[in-house]
Structures are given as C-alpha cells and as structure tokens.
Amino acid sequence: MKEINLTESHIQKMTHAIGFAVIRVRKGHYEAYRNRYVVSGPDEKWDYLVSVGYANKAFSSISKSIYYYVTRRGLDYLERILGVRISVSE
C-alpha cells in the first residue's frame, strides 16, 4: 500500500475546497456548502491528492479550467484530523 504523506498545504487546499470554517461547525458537524477548487492549470499538490484517492479532477471544455473535488475518502481523512463529521450539500 502506498504511504500517504500530506503537507499542511494539501490540507489547506482540501479545507478551502469545502469552505471549511470552524465557526460553521455545529454539534460536531460541518455541512460543506461547496466542494470544488478551480485552477487554470495543473496543480501539483492537487494531482498528488488525486493519485492517493483523496480528490478527483475534472476539466471544463468551455473555460479550459481544471476542477478538483475532495472525495469521500479525502473527507474521511479531514474528519479524522479536524475532529468533526463532514457532509457535502452539493
């Protein structure tokens, strides 16, 4: 099994994608109002997250943008380190 080594930068990108804010945590639960991170070119950190199953990647044919999304596996990882349950409304 591949060892997963995430940096603070990886975690920041994932929490940004889901709009995480401590003040929005209610009774140990965070309801993410989004799950996307849009870039104009490939992102090395996100591509690593995709390679370990913590994110997915999609391309926009209209805007030529790349969309990264945190997977359920990535959300489970964030739940463990943040100590809250996370659900996504989208």
Side-chain angles (χ1 to χ4, degrees), residues 6-7 10 15 20 31 33 40 45 62 67 73 79 86:
L6 298 189
T7 65
H10 289 109
T15 56
F20 182 79
E31 176 72 32
Y33 61 93
S40 59
K45 302 267 188 214
I62 298 170
Y67 291 76
R73 185 174 177 200
E79 286 181 346
I86 300 172

Side-chain angles (χ1 to χ4, degrees), residues 7 9-10 13-14 37-51 55 57 59 66-68:
T7 65
S9 178
H10 289 109
K13 287 178 181 288
M14 290 195 300
Y37 192 98
V38 184
V39 295
S40 59
D43 183 289
E44 183 179 304
K45 302 267 188 214
W46 274 108
D47 286 336
Y48 176 75
L49 292 167
V50 171
S51 76
K57 181 179 184 178
F59 300 90
I66 300 170
Y67 291 76
Y68 291 97

Side-chain angles (χ1 to χ4, degrees), residues 12-85:
Q12 287 173 341
K13 287 178 181 288
M14 290 195 300
T15 56
H16 179 78
I18 64 168
F20 182 79
V22 173
I23 61 170
R24 296 191 64 229
V25 174
R26 300 287 182 260
K27 297 181 180 179
H29 179 253
Y30 175 71
E31 176 72 32
Y33 61 93
R34 69 172 187 235
N35 183 5
R36 68 188 163 281
Y37 192 98
V38 184
V39 295
S40 59
D43 183 289
E44 183 179 304
K45 302 267 188 214
W46 274 108
D47 286 336
Y48 176 75
L49 292 167
V50 171
S51 76
V52 297
Y54 284 9
N56 283 327
K57 181 179 184 178
F59 300 90
S60 170
S61 59
I62 298 170
S63 68
K64 307 297 184 209
S65 298
I66 300 170
Y67 291 76
Y68 291 97
Y69 304 91
V70 182
T71 61
R72 182 69 247 172
R73 185 174 177 200
L75 293 171
D76 291 344
Y77 175 82
L78 289 177
E79 286 181 346
R80 287 191 302 275
I81 64 168
L82 297 172
V84 299
R85 288 180 299 109

